[in-house]
Amino acid sequence: MTDSSVSQPNFFEVKKGLFSWIFSLDHKRIGLLYLYSVGSFFLVGAALGVLMRLELFNPGADLIEAKTYNQVFTLHGVIMIFLFIIPSIPAVFGNFFLPIMLGTDDVAFPRLNLLSWWLYVLGALFALSTLVFGDGPADTGWTFYAPYSVKTGTNVSMSVLAAFILGFSSILTGLNFIVTIHRLRAPGMGFNQMPLFAWALYATSWIQLLATPIIGITLLMIVAERMLGIGLFDPSIGGDPILYQHLFWIYSHPAVYIMALPAMGIVSEIIPTFAQRTIFGYKAIAYSSLAIAFVGYFVWGHHMFTSGMSGPAAYIFSILTFFVAIPTSIKVFNWLATMYKGSINVQVPLLYAVAFIFNFLIGGLTGLVVGALAADVHLHDTYFVVGHFHYVMFGGTGFAFFGALHYWYPKIWGKMYNKLIANIAFAILFIGFNTLYFPMLILGIKGMPRRYYDYLPEFHTLNQISTVGSWILIIGLLLMIFNLFKGYFSKQKAPANPWNGITLEWQTQSPPTLYNFDKAPELVEGGPYNYPNAMKG
Amino acid sequence: MNASNFVEGVDFSMYLILSISVFFLVGITVVMIYFLFRYSKKNNPVATNITHNTYLEVVWTIIPTILVLIMFWYGWTGYKPMLTAPDDAMEIDAIGQMWKWSFSYPDGKVSDSLVIPIDKPVKLNLISKDVLHSLFIPAFRVKQDVVPGKDYMMWFTGQKLGTYDILCAEYCGQLHSYMLSTVSVVEQENFDNWLVSSPDTSNDHPGLTLLKNNACLSCHTRDGSRLVGPSFKNLIGRTEIIVRDGNEEEIVVDNQYIINKIKVPSSVSVVGYPSGLMTPYGEILSDDDINNIIDYISTLK
Ligand code: HEM
Ligand SMILES: [Cu+2]
């Protein structure tokens, strides 16, 4: 960590030009390629979300037609799920930081890594191509439920092929991380000396590897049914629509943990750094990730309680769903305990982590409500569910993503953003977020179904509040992005370790050199978060 | 009195879990914010490395486990009675199709809205003619998907006089949010009268009645504007480009074409409109019905 290391060219400087980026094998550059693509799609998806909120400001037809609205929420869902949230934390921050945090120079298969980004781009092109080819983007909802998805005239085939290709991108990332974690840890770093972010990615990667093939084949079955008329899911040609729902959720429920676990990993990094003390319950957090990933495989049926499921099946799926809550709540208590007797430096990344816990609690607790059979009968497919999953995915994972961006920003670019503006943007974002989604929970309890272009007059006020929330949110979002861009152009250099972190990424210079470390990093004795200056507990 | 027999079980499980949730949300948030201040860098310059505390960890594993088991249990007990309808329930067929509900009573009465006698269990046999729908009565706290090809049912007892919304909760295409109806809970006596009253003796052309009852007008307008399919206005004699057996051809719409399209819609599709959405009506409409429809359509000029 001497200053002489700064003389080494960083990974931005070693090569210049477009091709040196889009064909780069450097995990850091690939991580940034993902950041720019994933970030752009997030903005597109957010714009579509705001468009929906505008349409819903008043009942009746205002801005767009019913069919367009249906296409918009489908495209919004597809973009947010497949192009933003699933790749977000693993593909951006996992790619950039996993090798560094393990003290190595790259992922196990750099070429596969590049391929998975290219598959991402190809999948994205397929998804966007529906805007120009055929009868427009799919209008089925991101779930592509049969038999409507078989019958509708919109370009479902292209949309599901996009998801199919994106699935491969995700599988390759997962495979790469599993091998990297098994084979490339720095000498002396056992599994139990890994940072918790690595643990979270490890659990996530197994889900990506094992569950994604199922959605792949299921979506191909939709294409086969549409193009060749093979009766798989449409009862009018001999298929079974419920079979589709099972196959769809066998992937898509575990996929929820692909979205959530990496975010939990981020929070488990941020909190010890800003509390300047060791994480409470390292093993509990590490193994609960595996437990969540494992139990998460067996709960998909809770998306189908009103689809005519038998009593015993409903009973089992419901009780298993509740079991997922246990390792999840253990994590929350551990984070809380990590703040206890810390020496807390309240900075923007920590605020995002705290907001994550708050939003994610609402997301998780409302998940318990819909996990209960009786309550779910009423709330299923209402705005309660829309509120619930935005709290999990956006308020949880989205906020963790922003937190990670602010946390590692000085490491990635070697610059610092304006902290005051970052705090203000955070506050606006947090208020906007809750104004946008909390009313949805109430709307759901009052009985407003989701995917509704138009609604009954009694739902008017809450919809208006929600729409106003979307405006506040967007202001916060734009301010945050503006501030991050501005920081990039500032002259002032950030120190190599502005937060006094002790995981390995803070030992190398900012931005890191091409091979990450000039000399082998030193592992912290007594575990990855054993802060040397803190008192013994 | 609750609107239906299920309100109590559903609301109990919902509000029980919501209250426990609010408790934990507020508790954890307050503690978190307290820690941020109490253990700030200023107030606590030196941190303490506490790695674990077995006693605490056991406690915060066991308490959530007990709580979720309680939540599960009330969810289950509120749900279980929905699975089996009482033997003496009155059976009504509830038919969902894009984008219309209709209710067919045992003695042949068909209605767009549901009317039921108070305090009498009612069992709906759920039939979908096309895609997934879901019959949702928020006031009754009941919802059940209506799945083509499956014989599902739902049941409930209306316990309070009044009229409540019926919504479609499973996305079913363009006009999903307009697939609305109502259920009226009435005194037995009024119900009996209603059941025998003939449907509103309107002066509608019988063809128009058929178009309304079979949800044709969900997709086809009578005034020339475009909805999902081509409008019925000026249909007969119109020149259209269609695809038959994979080939595009130009045809003039005549009676035979319409009969065929009603019976086997998949055999031809009109260029510029989605194919595959229309239900085959061959088994639903008689030849007389179809003639009535054509007769009515020929008046739309
Ligand atoms: C500006 C931010 C956003 C706004 C205003 C917004 C708004 C909405 C609204 C109003 C709906 C419900 C549409 C309906 O049921 O009729 C919706 C659905 C959805 N949103 Fe968002 N959203 C935003 C961000 C996100 C994010 C960040 C994610 C995921 C990470 C996300 C994922 C989804 C998904 C999966 C659906 C379901 C689509 C479907 O029903 O098929 N949204 N959004
Ligand atoms: Cu429907």
Side-chain angles (χ1 to χ4, degrees):
Chain A
M1 278 201 291
T2 51
D3 251 75
S4 66
S5 62
V6 177
S7 58
Q8 287 274 337
N10 66 49
F11 77 101
F12 286 103
E13 294 163 342
V14 280
K15 262 193 196 158
K16 296 254 150 97
L18 183 64
F19 289 108
S20 78
W21 279 87
I22 62 175
F23 296 117
S24 172
L25 298 180
D26 178 9
H27 66 101
K28 298 181 287 303
R29 287 194 173 198
I30 295 174
L32 290 184
L33 288 176
Y34 266 115
L35 175 63
Y36 302 134
S37 18
V38 161
S40 312
F41 278 108
F42 171 71
L43 290 180
V44 175
L48 293 172
V50 171
L51 178 62
M52 285 189 275
R53 285 309 333 161
L54 282 176
E55 171 61 47
L56 295 175
F57 189 69
N58 286 320
D62 304 307
L63 281 175
I64 51 180
E65 290 177 15
K67 183 177 168 196
T68 316
Y69 180 84
N70 298 341
Q71 292 175 308
V72 169
F73 73 66
T74 306
L75 195 59
H76 168 80
V78 168
I79 287 180
M80 286 304 197
I81 297 284
F82 295 109
L83 290 168
F84 170 60
I85 202 99
I86 288 182
S88 65
I89 294 177
V92 177
F93 299 110
N95 258 324
F96 199 109
F97 285 104
L98 178 67
I100 307 185
M101 292 171 97
L102 296 180
T104 183
D105 57 358
D106 209 322
V107 291
F109 306 116
R111 284 192 177 76
L112 273 191
N113 203 14
L114 180 63
L115 177 64
S116 69
W117 182 71
W118 274 103
L119 285 173
Y120 174 91
V121 172
L122 186 68
L125 288 177
F126 265 67
L128 292 182
S129 73
T130 58
L131 291 168
V132 279
F133 295 123
D135 189 22
D139 65 340
T140 56
W142 80 279
T143 46
F144 302 112
Y145 267 17
Y148 185 72
S149 58
V150 176
K151 291 175 188 266
T152 178
T154 52
N155 205 341
V156 171
S157 300
M158 232 23 183
S159 309
V160 299
L161 281 176
F164 176 77
I165 296 169
L166 291 166
F168 275 96
S169 165
S170 178
I171 292 172
L172 292 183
T173 304
L175 175 73
N176 224 333
F177 286 179
I178 291 174
V179 181
T180 306
I181 289 171
H182 273 282
R183 310 293 304 171
L184 297 182
R185 280 168 310 173
M189 184 187 278
F191 259 72
N192 286 336
Q193 275 90 45
M194 286 198 310
L196 288 165
F197 183 49
W199 268 107
L201 289 176
Y202 185 68
T204 309
S205 299
W206 277 110
I207 310 178
Q208 288 178 290
L209 191 66
L210 296 180
T212 318
I214 301 170
I215 190 84
I217 195 72
T218 308
L219 294 176
L220 280 192
M221 285 161 87
I222 292 270
V223 178
E225 183 148 6
R226 282 180 70 87
M227 300 207 163
L228 309 173
I230 304 171
L232 298 165
F233 304 130
D234 181 355
S236 64
I237 47 177
D240 182 351
I242 301 297
L243 174 66
Y244 174 80
Q245 298 184 14
H246 278 292
L247 291 173
F248 180 83
W249 288 112
I250 286 175
Y251 164 76
S252 296
H253 191 79
V256 172
Y257 303 109
I258 300 182
M259 310 169 196
L261 287 172
M264 297 171 167
I266 297 282
V267 173
S268 308
E269 294 300 324
I270 291 179
I271 293 182
T273 299
F274 290 92
Q276 290 289 299
R277 53 153 284 187
T278 191
I279 190 98
F280 185 98
Y282 173 91
K283 284 193 183 157
I285 295 185
Y287 300 159
S288 63
S289 289
L290 296 182
I292 292 172
F294 182 75
V295 184
Y297 263 101
F298 304 102
V299 303
W300 77 85
H302 68 212
H303 295 271
M304 299 168 59
F305 287 150
T306 66
S307 74
M309 183 173 270
S310 74
Y315 187 102
I316 292 169
F317 278 125
S318 173
I319 202 163
L320 287 174
T321 300
F322 279 106
F323 284 150
V324 184
I326 300 167
T328 312
S329 59
I330 290 176
K331 278 188 198 261
V332 173
F333 291 129
N334 280 301
W335 292 324
L336 203 61
T338 302
M339 296 183 192
Y340 175 70
K341 292 203 173 168
S343 178
I344 301 175
N345 180 12
V346 183
Q347 297 278 354
V348 157
L350 183 70
L351 292 178
Y352 276 107
V354 168
F356 166 93
I357 295 178
F358 178 82
N359 293 336
F360 190 78
L361 269 174
I362 299 186
L365 293 166
T366 51
L368 293 177
V369 183
V370 282
L373 291 161
D376 185 62
V377 167
H378 178 57
L379 297 171
H380 177 70
D381 267 333
T382 66
Y383 260 85
F384 190 84
V385 173
V386 180
H388 154 68
F389 67 69
H390 281 94
Y391 266 101
V392 173
M393 299 195 294
F394 191 0
T397 308
F399 272 62
F401 184 85
F402 302 148
L405 203 53
H406 287 84
Y407 179 52
W408 281 317
Y409 185 97
K411 179 54 62 188
I412 298 176
W413 287 286
K415 303 276 177 63
M416 190 53 99
Y417 43 83
N418 180 316
K419 289 185 184 171
L420 177 67
I421 300 182
N423 280 317
I424 296 172
F426 163 80
I428 301 176
L429 201 59
F430 181 77
I431 293 168
F433 176 84
N434 281 287
T435 319
L436 168 57
Y437 293 111
F438 202 81
M440 292 193 188
L441 298 174
I442 307 171
L443 277 171
I445 293 176
K446 292 177 80 176
M448 175 166 163
R450 68 190 282 201
R451 297 174 174 170
Y452 259 33
Y453 167 67
D454 198 353
Y455 52 83
L456 298 169
E458 65 251 39
F459 302 128
H460 194 181
T461 316
L462 286 162
N463 269 296
Q464 287 194 322
I465 298 175
S466 174
T467 300
V468 171
S470 73
W471 300 335
I472 304 176
L473 175 105
I474 283 297
I475 294 173
L477 209 53
L478 292 177
L479 186 61
M480 178 190 90
I481 295 170
F482 161 79
N483 188 40
L484 292 176
F485 269 104
K486 201 170 138 270
Y488 179 76
F489 294 105
S490 80
K491 297 246 154 34
Q492 211 196 343
K493 279 208 161 67
N497 189 1
W499 318 124
N500 196 24
I502 58 170
T503 39
L504 301 189
E505 77 272 28
W506 301 110
Q507 290 188 20
T508 180
Q509 67 173 59
S510 306
T513 55
L514 181 59
Y515 296 112
N516 301 339
F517 299 97
D518 302 326
K519 57 178 175 37
E522 288 165 40
L523 299 191
V524 180
E525 227 157 289
Y529 307 102
N530 191 18
Y531 275 81
N533 294 336
M535 286 187 284
K536 258 182 108 77
Chain B
M1 203 55 186
N2 289 321
S4 91
N5 57 321
F6 291 124
V7 172
E8 195 182 323
V10 168
D11 281 6
F12 184 76
S13 74
M14 184 162 78
Y15 288 113
L16 173 79
I17 304 176
L18 281 174
S19 332
I20 298 177
S21 299
V22 170
F23 173 79
F24 275 94
L25 177 69
V26 173
I28 292 174
T29 307
V30 167
V31 172
M32 197 159 62
I33 292 173
Y34 171 73
F35 283 175
L36 287 185
F37 286 98
R38 171 65 187 80
Y39 299 110
S40 68
K41 209 161 71 175
K42 208 170 97 221
N43 292 336
N44 193 33
V46 182
T48 311
N49 280 333
I50 306 169
T51 55
H52 66 284
N53 179 327
T54 312
Y55 173 71
L56 253 186
E57 293 182 70
V58 169
V59 169
W60 73 41
T61 307
I62 290 179
I63 291 181
T65 307
I66 296 172
L67 286 176
V68 295
L69 285 173
I70 295 175
M71 295 176 188
F72 160 76
W73 183 251
Y74 285 106
W76 169 247
T77 52
Y79 170 80
K80 198 163 162 254
M82 298 178 183
L83 293 171
T84 24
D87 292 336
D88 62 341
M90 177 170 82
E91 295 202 27
I92 303 169
D93 286 349
I95 300 142
Q97 59 186 313
M98 287 166 168
W99 292 285
K100 179 178 187 306
W101 295 108
S102 46
F103 302 92
S104 166
Y105 288 76
D107 55 359
K109 173 144 183 145
V110 178
S111 163
D112 283 353
S113 59
L114 184 60
V115 178
I116 58 169
I118 189 166
D119 290 333
K120 184 152 173 46
V122 171
K123 177 178 166 192
L124 301 181
N125 298 313
L126 303 170
I127 301 157
S128 166
K129 289 194 180 163
D130 39 45
V131 297
L132 304 173
H133 303 280
S134 188
L135 199 149
F136 178 27
I137 311 176
F140 287 5
R141 310 287 193 270
V142 292
K143 177 186 292 130
Q144 172 64 50
D145 292 4
V146 184
V147 180
K150 306 261 177 195
D151 299 319
Y152 289 160
M153 69 92 197
M154 71 197 296
W155 79 277
F156 45 78
T157 307
Q159 298 179 334
K160 205 161 105 185
L161 297 178
T163 297
Y164 310 95
D165 293 315
I166 295 180
L167 312 169
C168 179
E170 182 63 63
Y171 176 68
C172 58
Q174 188 156 328
L175 302 185
H176 168 53
S177 64
Y178 296 99
M179 189 165 159
L180 310 172
S181 180
T182 55
V183 48
S184 301
V185 181
V186 299
E187 299 284 6
Q188 182 73 43
E189 191 186 341
N190 299 351
F191 175 75
D192 295 337
N193 291 338
W194 176 82
L195 204 57
V196 292
S197 69
S198 49
D200 314 336
T201 40
S202 68
N203 303 327
D204 280 353
H205 187 290
L208 176 57
T209 311
L210 284 162
L211 291 184
K212 283 183 179 166
N213 288 346
N214 288 287
C216 310
L217 301 178
S218 302
C219 299
H220 304 278
T221 66
R222 293 177 285 157
D223 61 3
S225 63
R226 181 189 168 122
L227 215 51
V228 177
S231 175
F232 287 149
K233 189 175 179 185
N234 294 326
L235 177 62
I236 296 171
R238 184 158 75 203
T239 313
E240 271 176 357
I241 305 175
I242 61 160
V243 182
R244 204 191 317 247
D245 303 329
N247 305 317
E248 263 190 32
E249 52 188 280
E250 202 178 270
I251 56 130
V252 175
V253 176
D254 58 11
N255 292 7
Q256 195 48 48
Y257 169 81
I258 297 181
I259 293 171
N260 177 47
K261 183 76 198 175
I262 292 178
K263 288 186 167 171
V264 194
S266 56
S267 60
V268 289
S269 65
V270 185
V271 172
Y273 291 91
S275 59
L277 279 179
M278 186 168 155
T279 316
Y281 287 93
E283 318 228 307
I284 300 167
L285 297 171
S286 67
D287 288 350
D288 273 355
D289 289 342
I290 296 182
N291 285 336
N292 267 325
I293 289 176
I294 293 179
D295 187 54
Y296 173 71
I297 289 178
S298 64
T299 67
L300 295 172
K301 291 239 151 54

